[in-house]
């Protein structure tokens, strides 16, 4: 969701840069942004603070960034191609069963931040294309405890919720029949660990920093950024189960057998 459908990832970066400027520290570099993007808790991580060297206690930074970040989240807007793609997929079908395409959000964002992010009317319209019971969020008390990405938990829960809410008598959807859309390496790895195909739509800065070899590593879930274990869950470089595109506008549903 963040950085894929809406520009909330940029709002987080804006928050961090504003605080860095407040204390006469340089803005985030492209390399640091790429390391942090999509990684839960990275905005207040050891890695960030060792790089930033802010002259304030970590607790003060957390309080200041939380207040500013939540204000900026209310300004979140849809990213290019998001509304058009979701509109198409909402009425699409998948052979051979000819069943409707089932949509769900699988995000580590909190319920509280989600509500802030849908403040703008166009953003609310976009994310309300997902039924409420298909919005899998990080701290939803109705859901079982689960690990954050790159663990596969949020995707496994999303698929379980979809299958539980499908009409009676309809065949269950299997992980290898799912297509996950992600903007981060952590999210791509989570989807691959869940046994799903993935379309990676990285931030333009991340895309500019990665060559073809690096893209193939990320698409296999083998970015090397995370130490989760269970490496049998990962894909193989070049296995064809991942695609990298520059924008949701570039996605071609027909390549996946989706009938619009």
């Amino acid at each position: 969701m963040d950085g894929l459908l809406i520009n909330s990832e940029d709002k987080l970066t804006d928050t961090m840069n504003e605080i860095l400027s407040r204390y006469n520290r340089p803005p985030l570099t492209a390399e640091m942004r790429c390391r942090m993007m999509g990684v839960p808790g990275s905005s207040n991580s050891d890695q960030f603070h060792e790089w930033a060297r802010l002259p304030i206690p970590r607790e003060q930074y957390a309080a200041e960034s939380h207040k500013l970040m939540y204000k900026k989240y209310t300004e979140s807007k849809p990213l290019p191609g998001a509304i058009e793609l979701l509109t198409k997929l909402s009425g699409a079908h998948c052979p051979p069963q000819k069943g409707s395409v089932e949509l769900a959000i699988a995000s580590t964002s909190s319920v509280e931040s989600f509500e802030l992010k849908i403040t703008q009317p166009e953003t609310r319209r976009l994310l309300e294309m997902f039924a409420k019971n298909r919005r899998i969020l990080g701290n939803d008390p109705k859901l079982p405890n689960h690990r954050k990405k790159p663990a596969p938990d949020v995707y496994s829960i999303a698929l379980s919720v979809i299958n539980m809410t499908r009409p009676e008598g309809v065949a269950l959807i299997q992980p290898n029949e799912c297509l996950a859309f992600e903007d981060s390496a952590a999210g791509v790895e989570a989807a691959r660990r869940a046994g799903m195909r993935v379309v990676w739509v990285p931030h333009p800065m991340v895309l500019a920093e990665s060559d073809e070899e690096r893209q193939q590593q990320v698409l296999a879930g083998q970015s090397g950024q995370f130490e989760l274990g269970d490496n049998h869950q990962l894909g193989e470089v070049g296995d064809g189960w991942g695609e990298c595109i520059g924008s949701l506008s570039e996605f071609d549903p027909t390549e996946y057998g989706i009938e619009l």
Side-chain angles (χ1 to χ4, degrees), residues 90-150:
S90 295
H93 291 77
C94 288
Q97 296 90 350
K98 301 294 183 180
S100 298
V101 169
E102 304 280 6
L103 301 176
I105 289 176
S107 174
T108 53
S109 286
S110 68
V111 175
E112 181 183 11
S113 69
F114 178 87
E115 292 300 325
L116 291 170
K117 291 165 188 173
I118 60 174
T119 299
Q120 300 298 319
E122 60 268 51
T123 310
R124 178 178 293 275
R125 285 194 297 271
L126 171 71
L127 296 180
E128 284 185 346
M129 292 186 190
F130 298 91
K132 281 189 176 182
N133 63 352
R134 300 282 183 88
R135 302 173 195 167
I136 312 305
L137 302 173
N139 65 341
D140 190 335
K142 299 189 296 297
L143 298 175
N145 290 331
H146 56 279
R147 297 169 295 171
K148 294 184 177 181
K149 301 172 183 177

Side-chain angles (χ1 to χ4, degrees), residues 16-36:
M16 298 174 74
N17 280 337
E18 188 167 326
I19 294 176
L20 287 166
S21 175
R22 187 180 296 171
Y23 294 100
N24 298 312
R25 300 300 298 152
L28 290 170
T29 62
E31 180 184 4
M32 182 58 64
R33 279 197 68 181
C34 291
R35 287 184 192 176
M36 297 171 58

Side-chain angles (χ1 to χ4, degrees), residues 15 19 22 44 56-70:
T15 296
I19 294 176
R22 187 180 296 171
N44 196 24
I56 57 174
R58 193 160 173 165
E59 295 76 15
Q60 181 180 342
Y61 165 80
E64 291 185 26
S65 63
H66 185 274
K67 180 178 180 181
L68 182 58
M69 177 174 60
Y70 273 35

